Amino acid sequence: MFKYTIKRLLQSVVTVLIVVTIVFLLMRMLPTDYFFTEDQLMKFTPEQKEEQLQAAGLLDPMPKQLVRYYGQLLKFDFGESRRIQNGVDVVSVIGDKFAISMKLGCTALVISLFVGILIGIIQTLNKDRILDHVGTAYTIFVNAVPSLVSYSLVLAFGSKVLGLPSLYSTRNPSETSILPIVCLSLASIASYALWTRRYMVDELNKDYIKLARVKGTSSSGIMIKHVFKNAFVPLAQYVPASFLYTIGGSLLVERFFSVPGMGPLLTDAIVRYDVNVVQTLVVLYAVLGTLGVFLGDILMMLLDPRIKLTGKGGTR
């Protein structure tokens, strides 16, 4: 397990490095006007602009710029915002927004796990009955209907019927977070329900379950000690990674409910060519993504030590 952990860590670092490099090169293909604020573009002469670019190292050869950028990342120096908040450190720009997105994402993940797995268990216990069909219909609906449509339905029902606030407010975050969290949870609940049912039904059809029944093991004992335990092992692999997917979904949800999180910040930074903010957010998402996949594999091995992720040749 130790060798596998080290190997996967190295693979994760390489993956993040590749993503960061590609984004850096793409950002450097933009016109150099992105470096200046609106006022500077109006006031600076071409000579002054060139001096500023030279001082910032943006006229250096690309390999030199890339090596310098790697060095800044190693020092956790992400530069300053040039457009969103001119002259403010990028970490400060992202800080509060990151906290809001993480709070919504973590809450949605916990709700998704509990509700989704519960629905999957109920479907399994009522296979081919009305409750199973209802759960399947929900999964199909969530996957088939565009996200904006389902969000609109949640917004209409929550605001008109339940009287919940339709827009997020930092003055009342608890109540105004309800609808965004519900929308973030919709797809994950459907996914967990689908896979929980699928894995549990698959376990129920295996020979060792039939043997347990012959030996007189109760249905509840079979479900708890065998079926759910074994079905949760492959499901657990996707739990850490699903956290990223939940945060990724916030790009649309946060814009839809006016949540001042990372979602609107990323789109604003892209539209306004705030390169340092875009690069930092991409690094953050890349790290979360690779870490999620890595932790998923480790969690699966911890739950079932029989699982071996490496073969004789050391490959997965």
Side-chain angles (χ1 to χ4, degrees):
M1 181 174 176
F2 177 75
K3 291 182 179 180
Y4 173 77
T5 302
I6 298 300
K7 178 183 177 181
R8 287 305 308 272
L9 281 175
L10 292 175
Q11 290 177 342
S12 299
V13 171
V14 172
T15 301
V16 172
L17 188 62
I18 292 174
V19 173
V20 168
T21 302
I22 292 175
V23 173
F24 177 86
L25 295 176
L26 289 175
M27 291 294 101
R28 290 304 181 272
M29 294 174 63
L30 295 172
T32 53
D33 285 349
Y34 74 84
F35 179 76
F36 304 100
T37 63
E38 287 80 357
D39 291 338
Q40 290 174 335
L41 286 173
M42 297 293 294
K43 295 178 181 179
F44 283 3
T45 63
E47 291 76 14
Q48 289 175 318
K49 292 179 181 179
E50 186 173 357
E51 290 178 1
Q52 291 286 329
L53 293 173
Q54 187 68 47
L58 295 179
L59 299 182
D60 294 338
M62 193 60 64
K64 183 177 180 179
Q65 293 187 46
L66 191 57
V67 172
R68 182 167 58 242
Y69 180 62
Y70 290 154
Q72 292 172 343
L73 289 181
L74 291 176
K75 299 176 182 178
F76 296 98
D77 179 11
F78 300 100
E80 297 179 348
S81 170
R82 300 290 299 179
R83 299 284 184 137
I84 303 297
Q85 297 182 33
N86 184 31
V88 179
D89 188 75
V90 170
V91 175
S92 300
V93 174
I94 295 177
D96 294 338
K97 300 180 182 298
F98 177 79
I100 293 174
S101 294
M102 290 298 107
K103 181 179 179 181
L104 294 179
C106 290
T107 305
L109 179 61
V110 172
I111 293 174
S112 301
L113 273 172
F114 178 78
V115 177
I117 292 176
L118 180 61
I119 292 176
I121 293 174
I122 293 174
Q123 286 185 259
T124 304
L125 295 176
N126 297 272
K127 186 175 179 296
D128 296 329
R129 299 176 185 174
I130 183 64
L131 291 179
D132 186 22
H133 295 320
V134 170
T136 302
Y138 168 76
T139 301
I140 294 174
F141 175 83
V142 170
N143 291 321
V145 175
S147 299
L148 280 176
V149 175
S150 59
Y151 296 166
S152 299
L153 293 175
V154 171
L155 175 61
F157 180 81
S159 59
K160 300 295 183 182
V161 179
L162 302 180
L164 295 172
S166 58
L167 296 177
Y168 182 88
S169 173
T170 54
R171 296 181 180 179
N172 184 21
S174 298
E175 188 176 6
T176 57
S177 297
I178 295 177
L179 293 183
I181 289 174
V182 170
C183 290
L184 280 174
S185 304
L186 290 177
S188 295
I189 289 175
S191 178
Y192 284 127
L194 173 66
W195 288 107
T196 299
R197 180 190 181 279
R198 183 171 297 176
Y199 288 134
M200 292 186 71
V201 169
D202 182 59
E203 289 295 320
L204 284 172
N205 293 325
K206 291 185 177 180
D207 292 336
Y208 79 94
I209 296 296
K210 298 176 182 178
L211 179 61
R213 285 174 177 164
V214 171
K215 291 181 177 180
T217 307
S218 63
S219 298
S220 59
I222 290 175
M223 294 299 295
I224 296 173
K225 296 180 180 179
H226 300 289
V227 176
F228 181 72
K229 178 182 177 182
N230 291 330
F232 187 73
V233 172
L235 185 67
Q237 183 182 18
Y238 303 102
V239 172
S242 66
F243 176 71
L244 174 69
Y245 302 145
T246 304
I247 299 301
S250 68
L251 297 178
L252 181 57
V253 172
E254 289 179 358
R255 178 69 70 179
F256 192 80
F257 290 98
S258 298
V259 179
M262 293 194 299
L265 177 63
L266 179 58
T267 55
D268 289 344
I270 293 173
V271 170
R272 300 177 65 178
Y273 298 115
D274 199 326
V275 174
N276 287 337
V277 175
V278 173
Q279 291 177 163
T280 304
L281 287 174
V282 169
V283 170
L284 180 60
Y285 280 116
V287 170
L288 287 176
T290 54
L291 184 62
V293 175
F294 169 73
L295 291 178
D297 288 343
I298 300 301
L299 180 60
M300 188 169 63
M301 284 196 299
L302 292 176
L303 290 174
D304 191 349
R306 296 172 300 174
I307 295 176
K308 301 295 182 181
L309 295 176
T310 55
K312 295 181 178 179
T315 58
R316 184 178 175 183

